[in-house]
Amino acid sequence: MPRSLLVLLLLVAAVAGSWLARSAMVRWRDLRAAQTYELAAEARPALVRAGAAALCLMCVSALGVAVLLGARGGARQAVAAVEEGRSAGSADGAAASAPVSTSPSPSPSPSPVAFAAVGRAAGGELMQGAVPGPDGRARTVRVWLPAEYGRNATDRFPVIVLHSGTPGRTADADLPDVFDGVASAVQQGKARPFVVVAPEAPGGTGHPCDLVAAAPQAVADDAALRSAVGAAFRTLPAGPAGWSVLGVDGGAPCAAAAGLARPDLYGAAAAVSGRYDAKALTGAATEASGAVGARLLLAAAKRDTDGVASGRAVQAALRDAKSRAEVRTSEVVQDYTPERERLRLVRVAVQYLAEQLAK
């Protein structure tokens, strides 16, 4: 409590106690006079005032002690402040004479990303988390764990990064059956189980895949995403020995551009039913660094004549540019419905990725 308030309470208690004591004395004299003349008089008012005066006296004593201790404490704090000022002055002088260290302080390690289960798909579990993007904004990342993931707690799994061609969405939002194609390839013994990572496509443009073709560093699979996935799941280390990339329909140009531009990151890439800018993809492949060429599959259904022609144009352009990229095409899939064709095309793509990563 502030010392000024203690002093005020002390004064109030002292005045009240003085008034009550004086009133009690007056009442006591009246009582004695009444007894002298054998008159009836009540002693209670005098006793009440005397008790109240005694209580005020106790309050005055307690408040006086508190004020005294507060004064001594303030003096001690003033002395301590002076001593601290002297010590600080000495420390500042020593710091001024000492050499200044310019080494940066270690930055705190980023907090691990928490992934929560959001459903099941194709016999596996679908997880979701929010991973900071290059601009600092959190973006949605979905991770599909195959059924085999929970059967052995020590196995590590290769990764397929599934690109989306819709800004602000993950690929499975537009293609909910894509995981069925991945699981189907495993069930038929054509591929090993994969963990599928589906990052949210960047916004700000209606065609995210154009960003990847023009600037390979714009791939959605950046260092923050790879670290978050590697810390949360049992995946193979990020790199061409264990990571691949896949795109279907609108996401196909993203996967083709990422695979051609980043063979140091992806061991193989597959693009399904896409429409491609052959010139942009050739430029991305030509500018790719590293001694190893990209390995890319361009798959389209037999009836998809525009998709077949677009894939062949990319293959011819890369060949004419003498690119080190190894490009294959698949044009034989045919089925009753576009959905069944897409399922089979994804199965072919996953089989190709598994074969290439095993080399």
Side-chain angles (χ1 to χ4, degrees):
M1 185 177 294
R3 184 169 178 267
S4 58
L5 182 57
L6 289 175
V7 173
L8 178 61
L9 292 176
L10 174 62
L11 293 175
V12 172
V15 171
S18 299
W19 182 83
L20 288 171
R22 184 174 178 276
S23 179
M25 288 298 295
V26 171
R27 291 284 182 176
W28 179 253
R29 291 193 190 101
D30 293 341
L31 180 61
R32 292 292 300 273
Q35 290 177 350
T36 301
Y37 294 98
E38 297 182 356
L39 298 175
E42 186 176 3
R44 183 178 179 183
L47 295 176
V48 170
R49 285 168 172 76
L55 181 60
C56 288
L57 178 61
M58 294 174 60
C59 292
V60 168
S61 301
L63 290 171
V65 172
V67 170
L68 181 60
L69 292 178
R72 292 180 178 178
R76 285 196 298 270
Q77 291 178 359
V79 172
V82 171
E83 292 297 330
E84 288 180 5
R86 291 176 180 175
S87 301
S90 301
D92 290 343
S97 60
V100 178
S101 174
T102 58
S103 59
S105 59
S107 57
S109 57
S111 302
V113 176
F115 287 85
V118 293
R120 298 191 62 83
E125 190 170 16
L126 190 60
M127 313 291 289
Q128 180 172 306
V131 180
D135 57 355
R137 184 184 65 87
R139 56 191 164 156
T140 300
V141 176
R142 287 198 162 187
V143 178
W144 179 76
L145 305 176
E148 294 78 6
Y149 187 87
R151 295 174 185 171
N152 192 328
T154 60
D155 286 351
R156 291 191 170 273
F157 293 79
V159 173
I160 294 176
V161 179
L162 183 63
H163 279 269
S164 170
T166 305
R169 292 168 68 93
T170 58
D172 62 297
D174 295 325
L175 306 166
D177 58 346
V178 67
F179 301 125
D180 293 307
V182 180
S184 175
V186 177
Q187 292 167 1
Q188 293 188 8
K190 296 181 178 181
R192 59 190 295 191
F194 281 91
V195 167
V196 181
V197 177
E200 175 187 324
T205 174
H207 304 282
C209 294
D210 293 344
L211 294 177
V212 181
Q217 64 271 21
V219 293
D221 173 21
D222 54 21
L225 185 144
R226 295 193 295 272
S227 298
V229 171
F233 305 102
R234 300 193 315 274
T235 61
L236 292 177
W243 285 50
S244 58
V245 61
L246 170 65
V248 181
D249 293 347
C254 284
L260 291 171
R262 297 298 306 273
D264 60 318
L265 177 58
Y266 304 115
V272 174
S273 304
R275 304 293 186 270
Y276 313 101
D277 184 340
K279 183 178 179 180
L281 293 180
T282 301
T286 303
E287 296 175 2
S289 59
V292 180
R295 289 176 287 188
L296 171 64
L297 173 69
L298 300 173
K302 187 175 182 179
R303 74 171 79 188
D304 183 9
T305 55
D306 290 339
V308 170
S310 185
R312 289 179 179 177
V314 172
Q315 187 180 42
L318 291 170
R319 183 176 59 246
D320 294 342
K322 296 182 171 52
S323 169
R324 290 172 299 177
E326 177 188 318
V327 181
R328 297 184 189 178
T329 60
S330 174
E331 308 163 355
V332 298
V333 170
Q334 186 174 3
D335 215 314
Y336 298 106
T337 65
E339 291 75 20
R340 287 186 57 83
E341 287 180 341
R342 184 169 59 216
L343 178 69
R344 293 180 59 182
L345 286 168
V346 171
R347 186 191 306 157
V348 169
V350 172
Q351 180 181 354
Y352 170 82
L353 297 176
E355 292 174 350
Q356 297 303 310
L357 292 186
K359 291 183 179 179

